[in-house]
């Protein structure tokens, strides 16, 4: 695209518009990259250190013994949802729907206080996904659970309140409306084209190459054409696969190492930004109805702040063309300067 | 609601779920209120000082003369949208829709470097709305314009890059999908109940009283039952009125002074938070089709950070019950302590 003009791009799947405005990156005071080294909170105050967690009853651990755990899943002490303290109750109203919500809010912790996901060994990164998958299957058995959300918040701008690397798991009694919309759209596409919309999209991205950042045998990483945030990326299993919980280990291995790759690239290329990544998978109930979905992971580095326009319209303004984002994250050699003017950002 | 439990609340109009989780406010490290005094950028470096702006050609000014302006509207130097540099072009695709976007991106500036909207005289606050209304009517005449977005970003957490109080105006060639959904829902409600859904809601809030924060002759301020953010409020004209651009001056006066009231309360009660406010009005084209809408203003103080859960599901987590939010903002006397545990936040 022309870098002094803007484009409005609408995702057919989500119905959402994005305003791509690379010219806005030149504003004075616009600093995408925060080069300030981030402080490490000391391990002695950390509630997720092994010595403290030994008093907890783990929901799941992976490692050679409960003492030598590599991965631990425990209950969140400040849960957004609680199990069965009340049954799901539908309060009827003309204007809104209210559920006294039943659900689960758990935390997955990796052992090392300072090693974030991208710095784990390939084996430990796979362990994170295997532990979560096992736990996912357990949560999915509860009749009240309809959707499981898995994500990581890294750093203050990513909304994390604790430094020690951890992942969150929320099991919800509803399907989020954003997910519902993608499900409906992928279902319609499948009926019309006899093909998964994400499989078609992956094929197109692999042919066009421009936005592909990394590829291994079973996973593909690319910057989506409609990126709501600067340097947003997606990690997809290449084969058609709606349900994360049923995924085979070799795919999990390739997806987790592809995710590690791109997080390492973000760290070196984008000056160690805070970020969130999250899983999108089909709901755990009425599984057959969602066979046209394709599970994947989205990574969003937290470089900008949503303001009045985004809050008031639901349209995100993105100042970085995803073609450029892919170029920056793909290049083997470190680009000398990340001054926006230097390379069309 | 019970303050150790959570509720899922779904807005019938937008289809969006909110997870209300007051228990989360007790997390260590959770600091809703930032008591740090905010620095004032010096006026000598400010591009919006009168001496600098005299070189610009204003699009509109209000005041006794162009030199003695109280309100000025100019073009944004780093526009997200530009007028007519290319015609709107629809690039067809299976996956997305792309428009080379034509539009306008203007800035409304109030004169005083240090006085934000809540500190303006009642007359100057009204002038802001009158200037914007006049400009809105001008923008609406362009055939490419379908929706006009008006908002203010205050402070760094609110996404503002400049200190001097200013407001943004974006004239878009599309109707944002979030607005589209509210229009469709309000239209359906009207057909079913022969009544505006917002009028019904205002009536209910006035009867129930719990969430009403302020009321004058022609405007009502309340904390919505489904608040996506802590201490979110809405300011509505009381009479049915879809189009901001056609609103009479006495209503504008009452709405702008109601908005000033609640911003002052936020300043004293919530430790001077950054915030955004934005206008929601019916689109400027096919006006008759949107007669069931009801224009209003939404104010969102920026107290929390959206994280992986919000980004991954579209469900906002709000740790403050709107009943409590209204209580805090309504009380005449300053509450002694804003420690969350002190009053059920």
């Amino acid at each position: 695209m022309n870098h002094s003009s803007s484009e409005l791009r609408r995702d057919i799947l989500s119905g959402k518009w994005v305003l791509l405005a690379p010219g806005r990156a030149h504003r004075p005071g616009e600093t995408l990259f925060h080069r300030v080294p981030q402080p490490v909170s000391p391990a002695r105050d950390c509630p997720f250190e092994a010595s403290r967690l030994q008093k907890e009853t783990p929901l799941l651990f992976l490692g050679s013994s409960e003492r030598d755990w590599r991965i631990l899943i425990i209950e969140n002490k400040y849960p957004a949802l609680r199990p069965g303290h009340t049954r799901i109750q539908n309060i009827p109203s003309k204007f809104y729907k209210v559920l006294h919500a039943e659900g689960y809010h758990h935390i997955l912790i990796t052992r090392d206080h300072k090693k974030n996901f991208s710095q784990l060994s390939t084996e430990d990164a796979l362990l994170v996904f295997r532990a979560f998958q096992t736990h996912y299957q357990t949560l999915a058995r509860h009749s009240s659970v309809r959707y499981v959300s898995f994500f990581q918040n890294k750093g203050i701008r990513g909304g994390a309140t604790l430094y020690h690397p951890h992942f969150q798991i929320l099991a919800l009694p509803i399907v989020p409306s954003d997910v519902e919309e993608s499900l409906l759209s992928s279902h319609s596409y499948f009926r019309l084209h006899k093909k998964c919309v994400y499989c078609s999209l992956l094929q197109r991205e692999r042919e066009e190459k421009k936005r592909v950042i990394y590829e291994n045998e079973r996973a593909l990483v690319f910057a989506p054409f409609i990126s709501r945030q600067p340097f947003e990326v997606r990690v997809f299993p290449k084969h058609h696969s709606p349900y994360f919980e049923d995924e085979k280990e070799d795919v999990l291995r390739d997806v987790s190492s592809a995710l590690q790759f791109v997080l390492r690239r973000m760290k070196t290329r984008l000056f160690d930004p805070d970020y969130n990544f999250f899983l999108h998978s089909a709901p755990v109930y009425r599984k057959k109805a969602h066979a046209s979905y394709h599970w994947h992971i989205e990574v969003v580095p937290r470089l900008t702040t949503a303001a009045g326009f985004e809050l008031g319209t639901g349209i995100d303004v993105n100042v970085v063309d995803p073609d450029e984002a892919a170029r920056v994250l793909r290049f083997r050699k470190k680009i000398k300067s990340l001054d926006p003017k230097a390379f069309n950002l």
Side-chain angles (χ1 to χ4, degrees), chain A:
Chain A
M1 65 180 290
N2 175 341
H3 282 272
S4 67
S5 69
S6 294
E7 269 181 22
L8 277 159
R9 297 182 173 181
R10 183 181 211 173
D11 195 323
I12 301 293
L13 284 173
S14 69
K16 286 194 168 61
W17 288 98
V18 166
L19 179 52
L20 207 58
R24 301 274 293 160
H26 302 285
R27 279 179 300 167
E30 173 73 24
T31 43
L32 275 184
F33 307 112
H34 296 259
R35 293 157 205 239
V36 187
Q38 308 214 1
V40 181
S41 300
R44 64 169 186 276
D45 305 329
C46 176
F48 293 162
E49 279 308 290
S51 55
R52 285 194 189 83
L53 289 174
Q54 248 136 41
K55 289 162 214 153
E56 305 255 352
T57 311
L59 298 164
L60 184 83
F61 70 90
L62 290 186
S64 56
S65 74
E66 194 169 334
R67 244 189 119 78
D68 292 323
W69 58 271
R70 309 288 315 143
I71 313 280
L72 194 67
I73 298 179
I74 58 167
E75 288 189 9
N76 191 312
K77 278 211 165 37
Y78 304 90
L81 292 158
R82 283 166 205 266
H85 70 291
T86 167
R87 71 180 189 285
I88 296 175
Q89 189 185 335
N90 202 339
I91 303 167
S93 155
K94 268 201 293 192
F95 308 111
Y96 9 82
K97 192 170 180 167
V98 183
L99 299 180
H100 291 297
E102 178 179 326
Y104 301 88
H105 189 171
H106 298 156
I107 295 174
L108 187 158
I109 303 164
T110 49
R111 182 80 183 230
D112 197 309
H113 183 71
K114 289 187 188 174
K115 272 190 186 164
N116 66 37
F117 184 78
S118 73
Q119 296 164 302
L120 295 179
S121 68
T122 315
E123 278 316 304
D124 276 3
L126 173 62
L127 269 194
V128 168
F129 278 84
R130 278 184 46 213
F132 172 55
Q133 194 183 50
T134 305
H135 197 61
Y136 194 109
Q137 289 159 353
T138 309
L139 290 168
R141 265 177 236 126
H142 293 277
S143 61
S144 64
V145 173
R146 303 207 149 184
Y147 187 78
V148 180
S149 171
F150 178 64
F151 56 95
Q152 183 175 34
N153 302 332
K154 195 212 146 220
I156 290 167
R157 279 164 72 102
T161 47
L162 286 169
Y163 176 83
H164 191 117
H166 62 288
F167 303 76
Q168 308 216 27
I169 302 163
L170 274 92
L172 298 164
I174 53 149
V175 178
S177 23
D178 278 14
V179 178
E180 225 165 40
E181 269 167 20
S182 305
L183 290 167
L184 282 174
S185 303
S186 59
H187 189 64
S188 313
Y189 187 96
F190 199 93
R191 282 205 309 191
L192 201 64
H193 300 278
K194 310 285 170 229
K195 214 178 156 183
C196 160
V197 62
Y198 299 101
C199 288
S200 309
L201 194 61
L202 295 185
Q203 194 188 334
R204 181 169 160 163
E205 291 295 348
R206 287 174 76 188
E207 281 162 13
E208 232 189 308
K209 286 193 178 71
K210 284 204 277 201
R211 283 175 297 275
V212 171
I213 294 163
Y214 175 83
E215 186 173 357
N216 59 29
E217 204 182 328
R218 297 175 195 86
L220 185 76
V221 183
F222 63 96
F225 180 78
I226 301 176
S227 292
R228 308 191 72 186
Q229 305 287 333
F231 296 98
E232 182 185 327
V233 309
R234 307 237 162 112
V235 186
F236 271 82
K238 283 185 194 171
H239 77 129
H240 181 67
S241 181
Y243 315 111
F244 167 79
E245 68 269 40
D246 300 335
E247 196 55 87
K248 291 213 179 67
E249 182 163 319
D250 55 359
V251 179
L252 289 189
R253 182 184 298 273
D254 280 3
V255 167
S256 63
S257 84
L259 177 59
Q260 285 194 297
F261 173 90
V262 76
L263 291 175
R264 281 194 299 264
R265 278 291 157 93
M266 284 182 178
K267 191 170 181 166
T268 54
R269 297 289 182 277
L270 312 180
F271 300 92
D272 198 10
D274 291 349
Y275 62 75
N276 304 107
F277 67 74
F278 45 86
L279 176 84
H280 274 166
S281 182
V284 303
Y285 86 117
R286 291 181 57 227
K287 280 183 71 165
K288 277 184 192 162
H290 308 306
S292 53
Y293 199 66
H294 197 129
W295 78 268
H296 60 276
I297 288 164
E298 307 194 8
V299 188
V300 182
R302 301 300 292 273
L303 303 167
T304 53
T305 303
F309 182 71
E310 290 87 338
L311 297 178
T313 61
I315 300 172
D316 280 330
V317 180
N318 181 357
V319 297
V320 179
D321 183 345
D323 294 17
E324 291 289 335
R327 206 168 73 85
V328 170
L329 294 173
R330 188 172 52 221
F331 270 9
R332 263 194 223 142
K333 281 189 194 162
K334 190 163 174 174
I335 293 165
K336 273 182 195 151
S337 157
L338 263 182
D339 175 37
K341 285 168 199 167
F343 60 116
N344 277 341
L345 281 195

